[in-house]
Each structure stands twice: as C-alpha cells, then as structure tokens.
PDB file of all heavy atoms in Angstrom:
ATOM      1  N   VAL K   1     -51.930 -56.256  21.519  1.00 85.00           N
ATOM      2  CA  VAL K   1     -52.109 -55.354  20.454  1.00 85.00           C
ATOM      3  C   VAL K   1     -52.621 -55.942  19.070  1.00 85.00           C
ATOM      4  O   VAL K   1     -53.489 -55.422  18.409  1.00 85.00           O
ATOM      5  CB  VAL K   1     -50.683 -54.661  20.183  1.00 85.00           C
ATOM      6  CG1 VAL K   1     -50.748 -53.818  18.887  1.00 85.00           C
ATOM      7  CG2 VAL K   1     -50.312 -53.737  21.309  1.00 85.00           C
ATOM      8  N   THR K   2     -52.104 -57.200  18.915  1.00 85.00           N
ATOM      9  CA  THR K   2     -52.661 -57.968  17.738  1.00 85.00           C
ATOM     10  C   THR K   2     -54.185 -58.237  17.884  1.00 85.00           C
ATOM     11  O   THR K   2     -54.971 -57.980  16.934  1.00 85.00           O
ATOM     12  CB  THR K   2     -51.864 -59.297  17.667  1.00 85.00           C
ATOM     13  OG1 THR K   2     -50.497 -59.016  17.483  1.00 85.00           O
ATOM     14  CG2 THR K   2     -52.369 -60.037  16.365  1.00 85.00           C
ATOM     15  N   VAL K   3     -54.581 -58.516  19.064  1.00 81.00           N
ATOM     16  CA  VAL K   3     -55.934 -58.861  19.143  1.00 81.00           C
ATOM     17  C   VAL K   3     -56.778 -57.547  19.077  1.00 81.00           C
ATOM     18  O   VAL K   3     -57.940 -57.524  18.494  1.00 81.00           O
ATOM     19  CB  VAL K   3     -56.194 -59.377  20.676  1.00 81.00           C
ATOM     20  CG1 VAL K   3     -57.673 -59.502  21.050  1.00 81.00           C
ATOM     21  CG2 VAL K   3     -55.625 -60.849  20.881  1.00 81.00           C
ATOM     22  N   MET K   4     -56.185 -56.440  19.603  1.00 81.00           N
ATOM     23  CA  MET K   4     -56.872 -55.087  19.461  1.00 81.00           C
ATOM     24  C   MET K   4     -57.052 -54.711  17.914  1.00 81.00           C
ATOM     25  O   MET K   4     -58.055 -54.185  17.600  1.00 81.00           O
ATOM     26  CB  MET K   4     -56.241 -53.951  20.176  1.00 81.00           C
ATOM     27  CG  MET K   4     -56.208 -54.179  21.740  1.00 81.00           C
ATOM     28  SD  MET K   4     -57.907 -53.719  22.307  1.00 81.00           S
ATOM     29  CE  MET K   4     -57.538 -53.794  24.140  1.00 81.00           C
ATOM     30  N   MET K   5     -55.998 -55.096  17.211  1.00 83.00           N
ATOM     31  CA  MET K   5     -56.065 -54.825  15.737  1.00 83.00           C
ATOM     32  C   MET K   5     -57.150 -55.705  15.082  1.00 83.00           C
ATOM     33  O   MET K   5     -57.930 -55.070  14.161  1.00 83.00           O
ATOM     34  CB  MET K   5     -54.679 -55.146  15.023  1.00 83.00           C
ATOM     35  CG  MET K   5     -53.690 -54.087  15.509  1.00 83.00           C
ATOM     36  SD  MET K   5     -52.065 -54.645  14.898  1.00 83.00           S
ATOM     37  CE  MET K   5     -52.274 -54.509  13.179  1.00 83.00           C
ATOM     38  N   ILE K   6     -57.213 -56.895  15.441  1.00 80.00           N
ATOM     39  CA  ILE K   6     -58.343 -57.790  14.868  1.00 80.00           C
ATOM     40  C   ILE K   6     -59.684 -57.218  15.296  1.00 80.00           C
ATOM     41  O   ILE K   6     -60.672 -57.250  14.444  1.00 80.00           O
ATOM     42  CB  ILE K   6     -58.120 -59.189  15.325  1.00 80.00           C
ATOM     43  CG1 ILE K   6     -56.731 -59.892  14.771  1.00 80.00           C
ATOM     44  CG2 ILE K   6     -59.290 -60.095  15.050  1.00 80.00           C
ATOM     45  CD1 ILE K   6     -56.504 -61.205  15.265  1.00 80.00           C
ATOM     46  N   ALA K   7     -59.830 -56.927  16.585  1.00 78.00           N
ATOM     47  CA  ALA K   7     -61.062 -56.369  17.057  1.00 78.00           C
ATOM     48  C   ALA K   7     -61.487 -54.911  16.349  1.00 78.00           C
ATOM     49  O   ALA K   7     -62.692 -54.854  15.974  1.00 78.00           O
ATOM     50  CB  ALA K   7     -61.036 -55.974  18.558  1.00 78.00           C
ATOM     51  N   ALA K   8     -60.365 -54.146  16.091  1.00 79.00           N
ATOM     52  CA  ALA K   8     -60.776 -52.936  15.251  1.00 79.00           C
ATOM     53  C   ALA K   8     -61.147 -53.219  13.843  1.00 79.00           C
ATOM     54  O   ALA K   8     -62.134 -52.698  13.385  1.00 79.00           O
ATOM     55  CB  ALA K   8     -59.535 -52.121  15.323  1.00 79.00           C
ATOM     56  N   TRP K   9     -60.562 -54.241  13.255  1.00 80.00           N
ATOM     57  CA  TRP K   9     -60.942 -54.646  11.859  1.00 80.00           C
ATOM     58  C   TRP K   9     -62.373 -55.216  12.008  1.00 80.00           C
ATOM     59  O   TRP K   9     -63.183 -54.981  11.139  1.00 80.00           O
ATOM     60  CB  TRP K   9     -60.018 -55.666  11.377  1.00 80.00           C
ATOM     61  CG  TRP K   9     -60.331 -56.144   9.985  1.00 80.00           C
ATOM     62  CD1 TRP K   9     -60.225 -55.604   8.875  1.00 80.00           C
ATOM     63  CD2 TRP K   9     -61.015 -57.461   9.655  1.00 80.00           C
ATOM     64  NE1 TRP K   9     -60.737 -56.286   7.762  1.00 80.00           N
ATOM     65  CE2 TRP K   9     -61.203 -57.487   8.282  1.00 80.00           C
ATOM     66  CE3 TRP K   9     -61.347 -58.495  10.503  1.00 80.00           C
ATOM     67  CZ2 TRP K   9     -61.738 -58.535   7.742  1.00 80.00           C
ATOM     68  CZ3 TRP K   9     -61.921 -59.727   9.908  1.00 80.00           C
ATOM     69  CH2 TRP K   9     -62.079 -59.571   8.558  1.00 80.00           C
ATOM     70  N   LEU K  10     -62.817 -55.997  12.924  1.00 76.00           N
ATOM     71  CA  LEU K  10     -64.067 -56.466  12.957  1.00 76.00           C
ATOM     72  C   LEU K  10     -65.064 -55.466  13.143  1.00 76.00           C
ATOM     73  O   LEU K  10     -66.200 -55.485  12.636  1.00 76.00           O
ATOM     74  CB  LEU K  10     -64.239 -57.532  14.204  1.00 76.00           C
ATOM     75  CG  LEU K  10     -63.399 -58.883  13.952  1.00 76.00           C
ATOM     76  CD1 LEU K  10     -63.420 -59.713  15.188  1.00 76.00           C
ATOM     77  CD2 LEU K  10     -64.057 -59.667  12.700  1.00 76.00           C
ATOM     78  N   ARG K  11     -64.702 -54.541  14.062  1.00 74.00           N
ATOM     79  CA  ARG K  11     -65.639 -53.416  14.305  1.00 74.00           C
ATOM     80  C   ARG K  11     -65.959 -52.488  12.997  1.00 74.00           C
ATOM     81  O   ARG K  11     -67.112 -52.058  12.852  1.00 74.00           O
ATOM     82  CB  ARG K  11     -65.184 -52.442  15.435  1.00 74.00           C
ATOM     83  CG  ARG K  11     -65.174 -53.133  16.775  1.00 74.00           C
ATOM     84  CD  ARG K  11     -65.147 -52.030  17.949  1.00 74.00           C
ATOM     85  NE  ARG K  11     -63.878 -51.135  17.721  1.00 74.00           N
ATOM     86  CZ  ARG K  11     -62.697 -51.547  18.165  1.00 74.00           C
ATOM     87  NH1 ARG K  11     -62.511 -52.638  18.900  1.00 74.00           N
ATOM     88  NH2 ARG K  11     -61.679 -50.680  17.999  1.00 74.00           N
ATOM     89  N   ARG K  12     -64.970 -52.439  12.247  1.00 77.00           N
ATOM     90  CA  ARG K  12     -65.006 -51.614  11.065  1.00 77.00           C
ATOM     91  C   ARG K  12     -65.767 -52.402   9.929  1.00 77.00           C
ATOM     92  O   ARG K  12     -66.525 -51.865   9.234  1.00 77.00           O
ATOM     93  CB  ARG K  12     -63.665 -51.134  10.501  1.00 77.00           C
ATOM     94  CG  ARG K  12     -63.751 -50.239   9.371  1.00 77.00           C
ATOM     95  CD  ARG K  12     -62.482 -49.512   9.135  1.00 77.00           C
ATOM     96  NE  ARG K  12     -62.545 -48.618   7.858  1.00 77.00           N
ATOM     97  CZ  ARG K  12     -61.535 -47.905   7.462  1.00 77.00           C
ATOM     98  NH1 ARG K  12     -60.459 -47.878   8.101  1.00 77.00           N
ATOM     99  NH2 ARG K  12     -61.673 -47.127   6.311  1.00 77.00           N
ATOM    100  N   THR K  13     -65.456 -53.641   9.764  1.00 79.00           N
ATOM    101  CA  THR K  13     -65.971 -54.536   8.725  1.00 79.00           C
ATOM    102  C   THR K  13     -67.447 -54.820   9.035  1.00 79.00           C
ATOM    103  O   THR K  13     -68.257 -54.918   8.209  1.00 79.00           O
ATOM    104  CB  THR K  13     -65.213 -55.741   8.533  1.00 79.00           C
ATOM    105  OG1 THR K  13     -63.787 -55.522   8.333  1.00 79.00           O
ATOM    106  CG2 THR K  13     -65.695 -56.586   7.393  1.00 79.00           C
ATOM    107  N   TRP K  14     -67.777 -55.308  10.252  1.00 74.00           N
ATOM    108  CA  TRP K  14     -69.005 -55.655  10.662  1.00 74.00           C
ATOM    109  C   TRP K  14     -69.558 -54.776  11.956  1.00 74.00           C
ATOM    110  O   TRP K  14     -69.395 -55.198  13.100  1.00 74.00           O
ATOM    111  CB  TRP K  14     -69.180 -57.106  11.047  1.00 74.00           C
ATOM    112  CG  TRP K  14     -69.009 -57.994   9.810  1.00 74.00           C
ATOM    113  CD1 TRP K  14     -69.812 -58.265   8.830  1.00 74.00           C
ATOM    114  CD2 TRP K  14     -67.813 -58.752   9.599  1.00 74.00           C
ATOM    115  NE1 TRP K  14     -69.317 -59.164   7.999  1.00 74.00           N
ATOM    116  CE2 TRP K  14     -67.962 -59.515   8.424  1.00 74.00           C
ATOM    117  CE3 TRP K  14     -66.498 -59.035  10.230  1.00 74.00           C
ATOM    118  CZ2 TRP K  14     -67.130 -60.332   7.796  1.00 74.00           C
ATOM    119  CZ3 TRP K  14     -65.568 -59.734   9.771  1.00 74.00           C
ATOM    120  CH2 TRP K  14     -65.869 -60.501   8.488  1.00 74.00           C
ATOM    121  N   PRO K  15     -69.735 -53.455  11.595  1.00 73.00           N
ATOM    122  CA  PRO K  15     -70.170 -52.588  12.799  1.00 73.00           C
ATOM    123  C   PRO K  15     -71.324 -53.119  13.627  1.00 73.00           C
ATOM    124  O   PRO K  15     -72.295 -53.702  12.981  1.00 73.00           O
ATOM    125  CB  PRO K  15     -70.460 -51.244  12.152  1.00 73.00           C
ATOM    126  CG  PRO K  15     -70.778 -51.584  10.675  1.00 73.00           C
ATOM    127  CD  PRO K  15     -70.043 -52.797  10.304  1.00 73.00           C
ATOM    128  N   ALA K  16     -71.339 -52.940  14.851  1.00 65.00           N
ATOM    129  CA  ALA K  16     -72.417 -53.335  15.791  1.00 65.00           C
ATOM    130  C   ALA K  16     -73.533 -52.371  15.542  1.00 65.00           C
ATOM    131  O   ALA K  16     -73.299 -51.171  15.344  1.00 65.00           O
ATOM    132  CB  ALA K  16     -71.928 -53.438  17.148  1.00 65.00           C
ATOM    133  N   PRO K  17     -74.794 -52.802  15.817  1.00 67.00           N
ATOM    134  CA  PRO K  17     -75.856 -51.835  15.804  1.00 67.00           C
ATOM    135  C   PRO K  17     -75.733 -50.788  16.873  1.00 67.00           C
ATOM    136  O   PRO K  17     -75.153 -51.080  17.971  1.00 67.00           O
ATOM    137  CB  PRO K  17     -77.018 -52.738  15.947  1.00 67.00           C
ATOM    138  CG  PRO K  17     -76.576 -54.004  16.574  1.00 67.00           C
ATOM    139  CD  PRO K  17     -75.167 -54.153  15.986  1.00 67.00           C
ATOM    140  N   GLU K  18     -76.172 -49.635  16.583  1.00 65.00           N
ATOM    141  CA  GLU K  18     -76.019 -48.505  17.600  1.00 65.00           C
ATOM    142  C   GLU K  18     -76.901 -48.880  18.860  1.00 65.00           C
ATOM    143  O   GLU K  18     -77.949 -49.294  18.820  1.00 65.00           O
ATOM    144  CB  GLU K  18     -76.590 -47.158  16.984  1.00 65.00           C
ATOM    145  CG  GLU K  18     -76.430 -46.106  17.925  1.00 65.00           C
ATOM    146  CD  GLU K  18     -76.740 -44.721  17.304  1.00 65.00           C
ATOM    147  OE1 GLU K  18     -77.174 -44.729  16.071  1.00 65.00           O
ATOM    148  OE2 GLU K  18     -76.820 -43.778  17.909  1.00 65.00           O
ATOM    149  N   LYS K  19     -76.137 -48.773  19.992  1.00 59.00           N
ATOM    150  CA  LYS K  19     -76.775 -49.053  21.258  1.00 59.00           C
ATOM    151  C   LYS K  19     -77.708 -47.870  21.720  1.00 59.00           C
ATOM    152  O   LYS K  19     -77.293 -46.721  21.597  1.00 59.00           O
ATOM    153  CB  LYS K  19     -75.813 -49.407  22.317  1.00 59.00           C
ATOM    154  CG  LYS K  19     -74.919 -50.669  22.015  1.00 59.00           C
ATOM    155  CD  LYS K  19     -73.909 -50.951  23.065  1.00 59.00           C
ATOM    156  CE  LYS K  19     -73.118 -52.221  22.565  1.00 59.00           C
ATOM    157  NZ  LYS K  19     -72.096 -52.382  23.598  1.00 59.00           N
ATOM    158  N   VAL K  20     -78.742 -48.242  22.343  1.00 57.00           N
ATOM    159  CA  VAL K  20     -79.615 -47.254  22.746  1.00 57.00           C
ATOM    160  C   VAL K  20     -79.517 -47.273  24.426  1.00 57.00           C
ATOM    161  O   VAL K  20     -79.738 -48.421  25.076  1.00 57.00           O
ATOM    162  CB  VAL K  20     -81.108 -47.527  22.435  1.00 57.00           C
ATOM    163  CG1 VAL K  20     -82.079 -46.515  23.042  1.00 57.00           C
ATOM    164  CG2 VAL K  20     -81.233 -47.462  20.942  1.00 57.00           C
ATOM    165  N   TRP K  21     -79.314 -46.123  24.900  1.00 50.00           N
ATOM    166  CA  TRP K  21     -79.022 -46.172  26.403  1.00 50.00           C
ATOM    167  C   TRP K  21     -80.294 -46.248  27.202  1.00 50.00           C
ATOM    168  O   TRP K  21     -81.380 -45.674  26.802  1.00 50.00           O
ATOM    169  CB  TRP K  21     -78.260 -44.829  26.816  1.00 50.00           C
ATOM    170  CG  TRP K  21     -78.013 -44.931  28.245  1.00 50.00           C
ATOM    171  CD1 TRP K  21     -77.013 -45.325  28.945  1.00 50.00           C
ATOM    172  CD2 TRP K  21     -78.798 -44.157  29.355  1.00 50.00           C
ATOM    173  NE1 TRP K  21     -77.111 -45.129  30.277  1.00 50.00           N
ATOM    174  CE2 TRP K  21     -78.167 -44.306  30.453  1.00 50.00           C
ATOM    175  CE3 TRP K  21     -80.031 -43.474  29.212  1.00 50.00           C
ATOM    176  CZ2 TRP K  21     -78.712 -43.771  31.665  1.00 50.00           C
ATOM    177  CZ3 TRP K  21     -80.562 -42.956  30.408  1.00 50.00           C
ATOM    178  CH2 TRP K  21     -79.888 -43.256  31.633  1.00 50.00           C
ATOM    179  N   GLN K  22     -80.252 -47.151  28.202  1.00 54.00           N
ATOM    180  CA  GLN K  22     -81.504 -47.198  29.013  1.00 54.00           C
ATOM    181  C   GLN K  22     -81.006 -47.058  30.477  1.00 54.00           C
ATOM    182  O   GLN K  22     -80.084 -47.644  30.850  1.00 54.00           O
ATOM    183  CB  GLN K  22     -82.122 -48.576  28.810  1.00 54.00           C
ATOM    184  CG  GLN K  22     -82.726 -48.823  27.394  1.00 54.00           C
ATOM    185  CD  GLN K  22     -83.380 -50.166  27.243  1.00 54.00           C
ATOM    186  OE1 GLN K  22     -83.473 -50.882  28.256  1.00 54.00           O
ATOM    187  NE2 GLN K  22     -83.814 -50.333  26.049  1.00 54.00           N
ATOM    188  N   PRO K  23     -81.755 -46.307  31.361  1.00 53.00           N
ATOM    189  CA  PRO K  23     -81.380 -46.063  32.670  1.00 53.00           C
ATOM    190  C   PRO K  23     -81.639 -47.403  33.474  1.00 53.00           C
ATOM    191  O   PRO K  23     -82.658 -48.132  33.255  1.00 53.00           O
ATOM    192  CB  PRO K  23     -82.297 -45.018  33.170  1.00 53.00           C
ATOM    193  CG  PRO K  23     -83.433 -44.976  32.198  1.00 53.00           C
ATOM    194  CD  PRO K  23     -82.900 -45.574  30.975  1.00 53.00           C
ATOM    195  N   THR K  24     -80.728 -47.754  34.320  1.00 50.00           N
ATOM    196  CA  THR K  24     -80.891 -48.949  35.205  1.00 50.00           C
ATOM    197  C   THR K  24     -80.703 -48.378  36.605  1.00 50.00           C
ATOM    198  O   THR K  24     -80.148 -47.309  36.852  1.00 50.00           O
ATOM    199  CB  THR K  24     -79.973 -49.971  34.847  1.00 50.00           C
ATOM    200  OG1 THR K  24     -78.591 -49.544  35.009  1.00 50.00           O
ATOM    201  CG2 THR K  24     -80.041 -50.434  33.419  1.00 50.00           C
ATOM    202  N   ARG K  25     -80.854 -49.327  37.539  1.00 48.00           N
ATOM    203  CA  ARG K  25     -80.765 -48.997  39.023  1.00 48.00           C
ATOM    204  C   ARG K  25     -79.258 -48.659  39.307  1.00 48.00           C
ATOM    205  O   ARG K  25     -78.995 -47.830  40.099  1.00 48.00           O
ATOM    206  CB  ARG K  25     -81.231 -50.044  39.856  1.00 48.00           C
ATOM    207  CG  ARG K  25     -82.695 -50.302  39.831  1.00 48.00           C
ATOM    208  CD  ARG K  25     -83.164 -51.366  40.849  1.00 48.00           C
ATOM    209  NE  ARG K  25     -84.564 -51.675  40.727  1.00 48.00           N
ATOM    210  CZ  ARG K  25     -85.231 -52.633  41.368  1.00 48.00           C
ATOM    211  NH1 ARG K  25     -84.497 -53.335  42.237  1.00 48.00           N
ATOM    212  NH2 ARG K  25     -86.470 -52.566  41.378  1.00 48.00           N
ATOM    213  N   ALA K  26     -78.388 -49.414  38.667  1.00 45.00           N
ATOM    214  CA  ALA K  26     -76.882 -49.206  38.833  1.00 45.00           C
ATOM    215  C   ALA K  26     -76.346 -48.181  37.957  1.00 45.00           C
ATOM    216  O   ALA K  26     -75.161 -47.794  37.981  1.00 45.00           O
ATOM    217  CB  ALA K  26     -76.164 -50.539  38.643  1.00 45.00           C
ATOM    218  N   ASN K  27     -77.251 -47.519  37.159  1.00 45.00           N
ATOM    219  CA  ASN K  27     -76.728 -46.379  36.248  1.00 45.00           C
ATOM    220  C   ASN K  27     -75.683 -46.903  35.295  1.00 45.00           C
ATOM    221  O   ASN K  27     -74.716 -46.364  34.903  1.00 45.00           O
ATOM    222  CB  ASN K  27     -76.234 -45.319  37.002  1.00 45.00           C
ATOM    223  CG  ASN K  27     -77.177 -44.493  37.729  1.00 45.00           C
ATOM    224  OD1 ASN K  27     -78.335 -44.429  37.292  1.00 45.00           O
ATOM    225  ND2 ASN K  27     -76.839 -43.994  38.957  1.00 45.00           N
ATOM    226  N   VAL K  28     -75.881 -48.149  34.876  1.00 44.00           N
ATOM    227  CA  VAL K  28     -74.984 -48.945  33.924  1.00 44.00           C
ATOM    228  C   VAL K  28     -75.841 -49.161  32.586  1.00 44.00           C
ATOM    229  O   VAL K  28     -76.944 -49.610  32.787  1.00 44.00           O
ATOM    230  CB  VAL K  28     -74.293 -50.191  34.503  1.00 44.00           C
ATOM    231  CG1 VAL K  28     -73.529 -50.892  33.361  1.00 44.00           C
ATOM    232  CG2 VAL K  28     -73.631 -49.876  35.659  1.00 44.00           C
ATOM    233  N   PRO K  29     -75.329 -48.931  31.434  1.00 45.00           N
ATOM    234  CA  PRO K  29     -76.048 -49.186  30.267  1.00 45.00           C
ATOM    235  C   PRO K  29     -76.483 -50.677  30.196  1.00 45.00           C
ATOM    236  O   PRO K  29     -75.806 -51.565  30.584  1.00 45.00           O
ATOM    237  CB  PRO K  29     -75.031 -48.852  29.010  1.00 45.00           C
ATOM    238  CG  PRO K  29     -74.078 -47.857  29.767  1.00 45.00           C
ATOM    239  CD  PRO K  29     -74.060 -48.294  31.116  1.00 45.00           C
ATOM    240  N   ALA K  30     -77.667 -50.907  29.571  1.00 44.00           N
ATOM    241  CA  ALA K  30     -78.256 -52.212  29.582  1.00 44.00           C
ATOM    242  C   ALA K  30     -77.320 -53.184  28.757  1.00 44.00           C
ATOM    243  O   ALA K  30     -76.668 -52.757  27.883  1.00 44.00           O
ATOM    244  CB  ALA K  30     -79.595 -52.131  28.929  1.00 44.00           C
ATOM    245  N   ASN K  31     -77.419 -54.378  29.127  1.00 47.00           N
ATOM    246  CA  ASN K  31     -76.679 -55.527  28.436  1.00 47.00           C
ATOM    247  C   ASN K  31     -75.064 -55.367  28.574  1.00 47.00           C
ATOM    248  O   ASN K  31     -74.495 -55.961  27.707  1.00 47.00           O
ATOM    249  CB  ASN K  31     -77.109 -55.478  26.869  1.00 47.00           C
ATOM    250  CG  ASN K  31     -78.504 -55.781  26.634  1.00 47.00           C
ATOM    251  OD1 ASN K  31     -79.202 -56.425  27.423  1.00 47.00           O
ATOM    252  ND2 ASN K  31     -79.072 -55.061  25.726  1.00 47.00           N
ATOM    253  N   SER K  32     -74.739 -54.640  29.558  1.00 55.00           N
ATOM    254  CA  SER K  32     -73.164 -54.600  29.821  1.00 55.00           C
ATOM    255  C   SER K  32     -72.802 -55.820  30.567  1.00 55.00           C
ATOM    256  O   SER K  32     -73.261 -55.956  31.652  1.00 55.00           O
ATOM    257  CB  SER K  32     -72.772 -53.296  30.328  1.00 55.00           C
ATOM    258  OG  SER K  32     -71.481 -53.214  30.657  1.00 55.00           O
ATOM    259  N   ASN K  33     -71.866 -56.545  30.039  1.00 73.00           N
ATOM    260  CA  ASN K  33     -71.384 -57.701  30.635  1.00 73.00           C
ATOM    261  C   ASN K  33     -69.900 -57.715  30.844  1.00 73.00           C
ATOM    262  O   ASN K  33     -69.185 -58.823  30.770  1.00 73.00           O
ATOM    263  CB  ASN K  33     -71.859 -58.980  29.942  1.00 73.00           C
ATOM    264  CG  ASN K  33     -73.401 -59.113  29.847  1.00 73.00           C
ATOM    265  OD1 ASN K  33     -73.947 -59.110  30.916  1.00 73.00           O
ATOM    266  ND2 ASN K  33     -73.858 -59.240  28.676  1.00 73.00           N
ATOM    267  N   ARG K  34     -69.264 -56.629  30.905  1.00 76.00           N
ATOM    268  CA  ARG K  34     -67.898 -56.499  30.947  1.00 76.00           C
ATOM    269  C   ARG K  34     -67.238 -57.280  32.149  1.00 76.00           C
ATOM    270  O   ARG K  34     -66.154 -57.781  32.001  1.00 76.00           O
ATOM    271  CB  ARG K  34     -67.371 -55.024  30.962  1.00 76.00           C
ATOM    272  CG  ARG K  34     -67.385 -54.384  29.497  1.00 76.00           C
ATOM    273  CD  ARG K  34     -66.536 -53.105  29.579  1.00 76.00           C
ATOM    274  NE  ARG K  34     -66.420 -52.604  28.144  1.00 76.00           N
ATOM    275  CZ  ARG K  34     -67.255 -51.761  27.645  1.00 76.00           C
ATOM    276  NH1 ARG K  34     -68.380 -51.492  28.270  1.00 76.00           N
ATOM    277  NH2 ARG K  34     -67.186 -51.376  26.418  1.00 76.00           N
ATOM    278  N   GLY K  35     -67.954 -57.144  33.352  1.00 77.00           N
ATOM    279  CA  GLY K  35     -67.561 -57.886  34.391  1.00 77.00           C
ATOM    280  C   GLY K  35     -67.346 -59.385  34.198  1.00 77.00           C
ATOM    281  O   GLY K  35     -66.348 -60.077  34.511  1.00 77.00           O
ATOM    282  N   ARG K  36     -68.398 -60.001  33.521  1.00 83.00           N
ATOM    283  CA  ARG K  36     -68.367 -61.477  33.226  1.00 83.00           C
ATOM    284  C   ARG K  36     -67.245 -61.701  32.281  1.00 83.00           C
ATOM    285  O   ARG K  36     -66.562 -62.736  32.371  1.00 83.00           O
ATOM    286  CB  ARG K  36     -69.783 -61.882  32.713  1.00 83.00           C
ATOM    287  CG  ARG K  36     -70.849 -61.723  33.819  1.00 83.00           C
ATOM    288  CD  ARG K  36     -72.111 -62.179  33.188  1.00 83.00           C
ATOM    289  NE  ARG K  36     -73.261 -62.049  34.153  1.00 83.00           N
ATOM    290  CZ  ARG K  36     -74.523 -62.332  33.740  1.00 83.00           C
ATOM    291  NH1 ARG K  36     -74.807 -62.809  32.589  1.00 83.00           N
ATOM    292  NH2 ARG K  36     -75.397 -62.138  34.631  1.00 83.00           N
ATOM    293  N   PHE K  37     -67.067 -60.871  31.213  1.00 84.00           N
ATOM    294  CA  PHE K  37     -66.201 -61.040  30.073  1.00 84.00           C
ATOM    295  C   PHE K  37     -64.804 -60.970  30.807  1.00 84.00           C
ATOM    296  O   PHE K  37     -63.816 -61.671  30.356  1.00 84.00           O
ATOM    297  CB  PHE K  37     -66.308 -60.063  28.991  1.00 84.00           C
ATOM    298  CG  PHE K  37     -67.651 -60.317  28.306  1.00 84.00           C
ATOM    299  CD1 PHE K  37     -68.346 -59.209  27.799  1.00 84.00           C
ATOM    300  CD2 PHE K  37     -68.189 -61.484  27.922  1.00 84.00           C
ATOM    301  CE1 PHE K  37     -69.528 -59.276  27.130  1.00 84.00           C
ATOM    302  CE2 PHE K  37     -69.476 -61.732  27.253  1.00 84.00           C
ATOM    303  CZ  PHE K  37     -70.119 -60.600  26.890  1.00 84.00           C
ATOM    304  N   ALA K  38     -64.602 -59.972  31.699  1.00 82.00           N
ATOM    305  CA  ALA K  38     -63.251 -59.887  32.344  1.00 82.00           C
ATOM    306  C   ALA K  38     -62.967 -61.074  33.110  1.00 82.00           C
ATOM    307  O   ALA K  38     -61.768 -61.504  33.062  1.00 82.00           O
ATOM    308  CB  ALA K  38     -63.251 -58.675  33.232  1.00 82.00           C
TER     309      ALA K  38
END
C-alpha cells in the first residue's frame, strides 16, 4: 500500500504522456512489459 501511494503521487506529480494504442499480433498495447516487470 505504501508503494502504491508513492506510485500514485508520482503519477499525479509527473504524469506520463498519453499512450497511443497500436494494434499488434498479440492484441497487446505496444511497449507493454508487465511480464518482464513482474
């Protein structure tokens, strides 16, 4: 929860640029690396 609070503060203070969806063969948004991060 503490980490989530820090992440929420970072997202609000330094918002990420809006992502543009691009179709891929796997139907996954481009630049998604959640598997590696996990």
Side-chain angles (χ1 to χ4, degrees):
V1 171
T2 302
V3 172
M4 290 290 189
M5 292 173 61
I6 296 173
W9 176 77
L10 289 174
R11 291 196 303 271
R12 183 169 181 176
T13 306
W14 294 285
E18 185 177 354
K19 297 179 180 179
V20 178
W21 182 84
Q22 296 180 0
T24 63
R25 293 181 180 178
N27 293 325
V28 179
N31 301 324
S32 178
N33 296 308
R34 279 197 172 89
R36 297 180 182 178
F37 294 144

